[in-house]
């Protein structure tokens, strides 16, 4: 197949999987991070992060084709050290190896819950962001200049990644979701633990002031719903969640604090036809019964756990991937690595609802043996065909699995995010002819800038 034919074939694979139909073969995902590929291309990891260009990323991407065998490869999004530099971020710090890490931080104190609950977004903008980003905790002029630098740095990097990825898609026929259909979903408890209170303090809070924690998470819901919206919805798109705190909690605390808002957000996304793609970090085995309550077609990437149990309980309802230990590609023989792939395929592939993937990505050049990686990927592709393609995975209807919660929450509003109508109340168009042009420009540039404000944390 040429690149266009291969891309159409791959699109059909994902369309079938996401529609609950057994495809011609299961899709296959690579497990190579941009960090790994920078080093594989022979580049200095630390300095390369400060000079991403379309041409440089193309070169790295072309070198990656020596290893890449999957259906949807792209140089994924990475944190921007230049933006972080202008933020003077305390929440994201570069180590001496060049890795950008998230240390333990606290954005507010235990006695500030009431203020946070009153308006989480405005508290975040006014208090948490400046506290965790001294580059924005300064006089108004310097703050404006730094924020402009941050936005421009983010836009430059994103443009370089988008253009280089698109060239790879066109040249090699990779599947990629339509523009504007992928989003990041804020999870209230994880957000509180990550940036607001920190991992160590949130576990104290749920013992000392549990009702405040519950109120804070409910207060976050309108903003979480709004922040998770995407310009378009598509069967190929999804809102992505990288779970953090769930497995650090005992089951009782998970049930009380983590699950309720997480569960409702997944259903609220499904209400508008947006799937959830969830990376279940660590081992979610004790939460299998909870995961069964999510909307049909939810995509679950598993890190650890018994794949037999997950396939048995979730295989008819959810799309499963993961489980393959990336570390085996470093420590195992070629045959051991292939045997593990065979074991997982035999368990997870029958009946459909499966995408081959690793438990995590290779981050460092020392994480995997490239020969083992290629051997596994080629084995997987050679053994990915179904004999019953076109059959439905289940007769259950997806819409019957969705519970509507959105009506329980007010529309998100903030004095910092105003509509075009509010904007022109004191700056009206000079004539009717320019009104639609002003509206278009206002919405375009507002939609460009506001996400960067939200993404600083």
């Amino acid at each position: 197949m040429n690149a266009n034919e291969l891309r159409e074939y791959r699109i059909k694979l994902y369309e079938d999987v996401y529609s609950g139909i057994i495809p011609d073969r299961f899709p296959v995902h690579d497990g190579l991070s941009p960090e790994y590929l920078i080093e594989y291309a022979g580049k200095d990891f630390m300095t390369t992060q400060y000079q991403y260009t379309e041409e440089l990323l193309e070169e790295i991407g072309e070198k990656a084709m020596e290893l890449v065998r999957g259906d949807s490869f792209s140089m994924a999004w990475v944190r921007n050290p230049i933006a972080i530099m202008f933020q003077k971020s305390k929440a994201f710090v570069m180590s001496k190896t060049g890795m950008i890490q998230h240390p333990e931080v606290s954005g507010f104190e235990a006695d500030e819950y009431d203020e946070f609950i009153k308006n989480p977004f405005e508290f975040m903008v006014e208090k948490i962001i400046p506290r965790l980003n001294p580059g924005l905790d300064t006089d108004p002029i310097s703050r404006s200049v730094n924020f402009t630098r941050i936005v421009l740095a983010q836009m430059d990097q994103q443009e370089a990644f988008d253009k280089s990825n698109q060239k790879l898609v066109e040249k090699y026929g990779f599947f990629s979701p339509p523009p504007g259909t992928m989003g990041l979903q804020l999870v209230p408890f994880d957000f509180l633990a990550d940036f607001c209170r920190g991992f160590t303090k949130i576990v104290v809070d749920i013992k000392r002031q549990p009702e405040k924690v519950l109120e804070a998470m409910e207060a976050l819901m309108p903003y979480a719903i709004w922040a998770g919206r995407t310009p378009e919805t598509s069967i190929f798109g999804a809102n992505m969640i990288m779970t953090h705190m769930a497995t650090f909690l005992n089951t009782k605390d998970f049930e009380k604090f983590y699950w309720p808002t997480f569960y409702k957000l997944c259903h609220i996304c499904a209400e508008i036809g947006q799937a959830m793609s969830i990376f279940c970090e660590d081992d979610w085995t004790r939460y299998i019964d909870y995961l069964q309550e999510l909307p049909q077609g939810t995509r679950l990437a598993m890190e650890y756990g018994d794949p037999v149990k997950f396939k048995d309980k979730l295989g008819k309802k959810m799309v499963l991937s993961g489980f393959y230990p990336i570390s085996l590609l470093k420590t195992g023989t070629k045959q051991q690595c292939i045997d593990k792939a065979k074991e997982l395929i035999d368990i997870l592939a029958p009946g459909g609802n499966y995408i081959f993937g690793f438990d995590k990505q290779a981050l460092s050049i020392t994480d995997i043996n490239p020969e083992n990686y290629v051997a596994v990927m080629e084995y997987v592709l050679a053994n990915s065909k179904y004999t019953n393609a076109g059959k439905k995975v289940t007769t259950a209807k997806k819409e019957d699995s969705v519970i509507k919660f959105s009506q329980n929450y007010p529309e998100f509003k903030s004095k910092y995010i105003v509509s075009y109508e509010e904007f022109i109340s004191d700056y009206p168009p000079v004539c009717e002819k320019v009104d639609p042009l002003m509206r278009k420009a206002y919405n375009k540039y507002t939609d460009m800038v506001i996400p960067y404000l939200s993404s600083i944390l």
Side-chain angles (χ1 to χ4, degrees):
M1 288 186 278
N2 63 36
N4 286 335
E5 292 170 335
L6 184 55
R7 185 160 188 256
E8 289 302 314
Y9 175 73
R10 285 164 162 164
I11 288 172
K12 177 61 173 169
L13 295 181
Y14 284 93
E15 182 179 21
D16 285 347
V17 171
Y18 295 157
S19 300
I21 295 171
I22 296 176
D24 181 59
R25 66 168 176 82
F26 56 78
V28 177
H29 285 178
D30 282 282
L32 306 170
S33 71
E35 292 89 346
Y36 175 89
L37 293 173
I38 288 169
E39 292 190 286
Y40 184 77
K43 307 295 183 184
D44 179 76
F45 172 56
M46 182 175 287
T47 58
T48 297
Q49 296 178 86
Y50 287 90
Q51 49 187 328
Y52 290 126
T53 63
E54 181 184 347
E55 295 73 23
L56 177 60
L57 290 170
E58 271 188 73
E59 180 187 346
I60 294 169
E62 286 293 341
K63 180 68 174 177
M65 293 304 108
E66 295 177 1
L67 303 180
V68 168
R69 299 292 188 275
D71 295 305
S72 60
F73 172 79
S74 69
M75 294 280 287
W77 174 87
V78 294
R79 294 222 170 258
N80 188 324
I82 297 174
I84 289 170
M85 173 182 74
F86 290 123
Q87 293 168 220
K88 298 183 179 179
S89 177
K90 296 179 180 179
F92 296 99
V93 179
M94 183 177 284
S95 71
K96 291 182 179 180
T97 66
M99 287 289 179
I100 296 174
Q101 300 171 320
H102 174 39
E104 175 78 347
V105 293
S106 291
F108 71 80
E109 298 303 320
D111 61 359
E112 293 182 292
Y113 266 102
D114 286 338
E115 190 177 353
F116 177 86
I117 290 165
K118 185 177 179 181
N119 194 313
F121 178 77
E122 290 176 9
F123 185 91
M124 178 181 79
V125 172
E126 295 169 1
K127 300 288 181 69
I128 299 176
I129 287 179
R131 288 171 182 174
L132 299 184
N133 299 276
L136 299 173
D137 187 19
T138 181
D139 64 88
I141 301 301
S142 298
R143 180 167 59 248
S144 298
V145 170
N146 279 338
F147 183 69
T148 303
R149 288 166 169 163
I150 292 164
V151 171
L152 292 175
Q154 295 278 32
M155 291 176 67
D156 278 351
Q157 178 172 301
Q158 192 61 55
E159 182 180 28
F161 272 85
D162 287 346
K163 287 184 175 180
S164 60
N165 281 330
Q166 187 57 36
K167 288 184 177 179
L168 291 173
V169 166
E170 293 172 0
K171 184 174 181 179
Y172 295 102
F174 292 121
F175 164 79
S176 62
T181 64
M182 299 298 292
L184 285 173
Q185 183 60 64
L186 177 154
V187 175
F189 193 88
D190 282 333
F191 185 77
L192 282 175
D194 283 344
F195 301 108
C196 298
R197 294 291 291 135
F199 273 32
T200 56
K201 292 181 179 178
I202 193 69
V203 294
V204 175
D205 293 346
I206 64 176
K207 303 302 180 185
R208 293 182 177 175
Q209 43 183 339
E211 294 309 314
K212 293 297 182 187
V213 175
L214 293 172
E215 286 181 55
M217 289 189 297
E218 282 296 315
L220 271 167
M221 284 293 285
Y223 170 63
I225 295 166
W226 176 84
R229 67 197 172 106
T230 55
E232 305 288 339
T233 57
S234 164
I235 191 172
F236 300 110
N239 274 20
M240 298 179 290
I241 293 177
M242 276 60 77
T243 62
H244 298 151
M245 277 294 290
T247 58
F248 288 93
L249 300 172
N250 63 47
T251 303
K252 182 179 178 181
D253 287 337
F254 170 87
E255 185 178 63
K256 180 176 181 178
F257 295 100
Y258 194 96
W259 182 249
T261 49
F262 181 96
Y263 169 76
K264 286 184 281 189
L265 280 169
C266 290
H267 281 275
I268 288 169
C269 282
E271 282 185 58
I272 60 170
Q274 186 79 335
M276 299 300 294
S277 179
I278 304 169
F279 176 39
C280 296
E281 293 187 30
D282 197 37
D283 186 349
W284 277 60
T285 300
R286 61 192 165 108
Y287 301 142
I288 286 181
D289 290 338
Y290 295 93
L291 292 172
Q292 284 181 305
E293 299 174 20
L294 297 180
Q296 183 175 317
T298 296
R299 303 161 199 174
L300 302 175
M302 312 310 300
E303 188 169 16
Y304 307 129
D306 182 349
V308 174
K309 291 181 180 179
F310 281 87
K311 183 66 176 181
D312 180 55
K313 291 232 176 183
L314 303 175
K316 288 289 186 183
K317 190 174 184 182
M318 312 303 180
V319 178
L320 297 175
S321 66
F323 291 112
Y324 190 103
I326 198 86
S327 59
L328 182 62
L329 299 177
K330 177 180 180 179
T331 61
T333 66
K334 185 178 294 186
Q335 191 58 51
Q336 286 172 330
C337 294
I338 290 172
D339 288 345
K340 186 64 178 179
K342 181 181 187 305
E343 174 193 331
L344 290 172
I345 290 171
D346 289 347
I347 294 167
L348 295 165
N353 266 355
Y354 177 56
I355 297 173
F356 177 85
F358 297 90
D359 65 345
K360 58 180 71 68
Q361 290 189 320
L363 283 176
S364 169
I365 196 67
T366 60
D367 282 352
I368 63 172
N369 177 339
E371 291 183 6
N372 286 348
Y373 180 85
V374 171
V376 166
M377 293 295 282
E378 291 186 346
Y379 174 85
V380 169
L381 285 168
N383 293 273
S384 58
K385 284 274 191 177
Y386 284 104
T387 58
N388 58 344
K391 183 179 178 181
K392 288 186 177 181
V393 174
T394 177
T395 57
K397 295 180 179 180
K398 184 181 292 187
E399 57 268 28
D400 292 340
S401 71
V402 179
I403 301 172
K404 295 182 178 180
F405 290 106
S406 59
Q407 72 277 4
N408 297 337
Y409 293 99
E411 180 183 356
F412 168 73
K413 292 183 179 180
S414 169
K415 63 185 178 185
Y416 298 117
I417 303 174
V418 300
S419 66
Y420 173 70
E421 285 71 23
E422 292 173 281
F423 176 77
I424 63 172
S425 63
D426 62 356
Y427 194 83
V430 295
C431 73
E432 292 182 359
K433 289 191 299 183
V434 301
D435 180 70
L437 301 174
M438 284 178 60
R439 178 187 296 273
K440 182 178 179 181
Y442 182 85
N443 291 334
K444 174 184 176 180
Y445 291 105
T446 300
D447 289 344
M448 287 172 65
V449 171
I450 293 300
Y452 288 110
L453 178 62
S454 303
S455 70
I456 285 174
L457 288 179

